[in-house]
Amino acid sequence: MKTALKCHKIIGGYGEGEALVSHEPICFYLTDPKTGIVREKTHELAGKNISNKVLVFPSGKASSVVQIDGLFKLASYNLAPKAMIVKDVETVLIVSAFIAKVPLVDRLERDPFKAINTGDLVRVDANKGTVVVERRKP
Amino acid sequence: MLNGEFGGGTQKAMELLVAIGDAYDAEKMIPISRAHAASSGQEGDMYFVELLADGGAKCRVPTSTNPVYDIKYFHKLFDVPKDEAEVARRVMEAYSRVGAILSWSCVPYLSENIPLYGESVAFSESSATPYVNSVIGAYTNREAAQSALAAGIIGKTPKYGLHIKENRKGTTLFDVKATLRDEFDYTLLGYYVGKAIGYGIPVLTGITRPPNTEELINFCAMSNTSGAISMFYIPGHTVEAATVKKAFQGDVPKEKVTVTDRELKGVYEELQTTSKKADFIQLGCPHYTLKQIGKVAELLSGKRIHGDSSFWVCTSATTKLLADRVGYTNMIEKAGGRVVVDTCIDEPCWIAYKQKVGMTDSPKGAYYRRYREVRLERLQDCVKAAVNEEGRGKP
């Protein structure tokens, strides 16, 4: 089953991949830059790998310096997420995505946490403002 | 500018500002008079400033820079890894190429780059954002180093967030019943307030003695480290709202938090990781003012720092110039301490202390520490520990 949803572009580009959903904010500095595995022990994604995923999460967190450096390092090892879908943006996350060249969108026409499950195949076309979700698991 | 007619660097800076403006549905760009880029000497920082510099971008308004570290000074003393040093060198060179004010200071609003009341600016750095909004009454958002630099290059910023009066409204009332003796107590208060709400505009009441510059700097730095506090009010003492009612723009506060000595003691205890004796003492996060350096000099007068500990004061180049002139630097050096410029406590130059115990008066320094264990103490207790063996090693 495929669902096409409208969204709002923040950082342009196209990215597709398997969805990884986090209900908690993410700090990219707390992932291993050489593997993409979340190191923050208390995080719901602890031990999961965010690289090459379409990451669905509420917002970013932590200081600007560490957040930007974290996503930039992942990107320099080709381990950044393919695209990011968020609920609330803030300046630091926008700058991080801009520098790491990761498509970033918000304002999905449905609640992203209801429309997308971890494991779904998701295509994000930020320039066109569309997200296509292909359900993989029941 | 977006089409590249002003060169590739300016185009990139404009692209970033447009992306931010789009994200917040900003109706337009507004001119800014100055910016402060929280340069950090890290790889992400290097990538962006070199991208702009290589693309020929130049700052259109005065844009100051944050500390990285004094490369020549530290390389004489410690074995800093070559690749890390190269990143720092390239970052500092690229900020020079874009025509930034090379202040390498985290308190530029005191001397190198001073906004006025009501000015629209783009200031990143933890103490700088809340200080210029609240103490000076200028308008800035909580910028990242790169968005502030881009704004400095273009001379504009998207109109959103704290550039709009309605968004500068208090969110939480803090009734301060704790004793606030000096800047150290304000650091603890700042840390507590930031952690308690995470995000928002705190309004503080109960503070009777007017806070001084150092106390406000430290409140700002800490509240914007443990949380994301871009602005606060102390009605009667900060400039923008004379009363609590005005700070909340006529509304009744929805949330109220009381802060007593117990809460501040809690922060103090939470941040200590050891009671062992300190191998080194690190002051100046944020960068010390001339008044603080004078206090250190006076406390060290006629004393000698104990042989196996080292003692550091970080400050800006402009402040050090005056400290040299009035004799404070000499007094500190005579006692065996060092006054260092252009340097942040969170940089690879401190590599020699990686496995050591450090003592500082800064919760921010303790939080981002590049050493194994930390003791957090008041300025005068840090000095006491450095000179008096008896006083060391006790909890």
Side-chain angles (χ1 to χ4, degrees), chain B residues 6-209:
Chain B
F6 290 91
T10 300
Q11 184 181 17
K12 277 286 157 204
M14 193 65 183
E15 277 176 18
L16 176 57
L17 296 184
V18 168
I20 295 168
D22 281 350
Y24 287 100
D25 288 330
E27 48 168 318
K28 60 178 181 182
M29 295 276 179
I30 50 167
I32 57 157
S33 49
R34 59 188 76 250
H36 176 70
S39 42
S40 63
Q42 284 179 310
E43 283 170 41
D45 186 24
M46 177 173 79
Y47 166 79
F48 190 68
V49 65
E50 285 194 338
L51 185 69
L52 301 193
D54 293 347
K58 292 272 180 209
C59 296
R60 284 177 173 73
V61 296
T63 303
S64 44
T65 58
N66 238 30
V68 179
Y69 69 94
D70 187 335
I71 298 173
K72 279 188 189 150
Y73 187 90
F74 279 92
H75 281 243
K76 272 188 263 165
L77 298 170
F78 303 139
D79 196 15
V80 185
K82 282 206 171 65
D83 52 336
E84 303 238 34
E86 181 59 9
V87 174
R89 189 196 62 75
R90 280 171 59 181
V91 165
M92 294 173 99
E93 189 215 57
Y95 275 101
S96 167
R97 282 193 283 147
V98 297
I101 305 169
L102 305 179
S103 51
W104 314 125
S105 163
C106 53
V107 290
Y109 46 82
L110 295 182
S111 50
E112 296 88 357
N113 197 9
I114 312 169
L116 286 177
Y117 182 83
E119 246 181 71
S120 301
V121 301
F123 268 45
S124 52
E125 172 54 22
S126 56
S127 83
T129 304
Y131 193 97
V132 307
N133 271 323
S134 321
V135 179
I136 294 175
Y139 283 37
T140 182
N141 276 313
R142 189 175 193 263
E143 301 283 352
Q146 292 74 19
S147 57
L149 175 61
I153 295 284
I154 304 299
K156 288 182 179 178
T157 190
K159 189 179 181 187
Y160 73 97
L162 294 177
H163 289 291
I164 296 164
K165 183 84 191 161
E166 293 71 46
N167 298 334
R168 297 168 74 86
K169 178 172 161 179
T171 58
T172 311
L173 185 69
F174 281 85
D175 187 16
V176 182
K177 293 193 158 50
T179 318
L180 299 170
R181 281 161 293 181
D182 56 16
E183 63 259 34
F184 188 74
D185 290 329
Y186 272 87
T187 69
L188 301 178
L189 177 65
Y191 199 91
Y192 181 79
V193 166
K195 207 173 167 191
I197 58 172
Y199 177 85
I201 302 182
V203 180
L204 281 62
T205 58
I207 295 175
T208 45
R209 177 177 62 80

Side-chain angles (χ1 to χ4, degrees), chain B residues 3 46 75 79 91 123-124 126 161 242 262 285 305 311 340 355 359-360 363:
Chain B
N3 301 322
M46 177 173 79
H75 281 243
D79 196 15
V91 165
F123 268 45
S124 52
S126 56
R262 206 175 63 176
C285 169
I305 287 156
F311 186 94
V340 59
Q355 297 303 325
M359 186 185 276
T360 177

Side-chain angles (χ1 to χ4, degrees), chain A residues 26-44:
Chain A
I26 290 177
C27 170
F28 294 104
Y29 202 57
L30 301 175
T31 60
D32 181 349
K34 289 180 181 163
T35 60
I37 291 169
V38 176
R39 290 187 301 197
E40 196 179 352
K41 287 196 182 89
T42 53
H43 200 278
E44 68 169 281

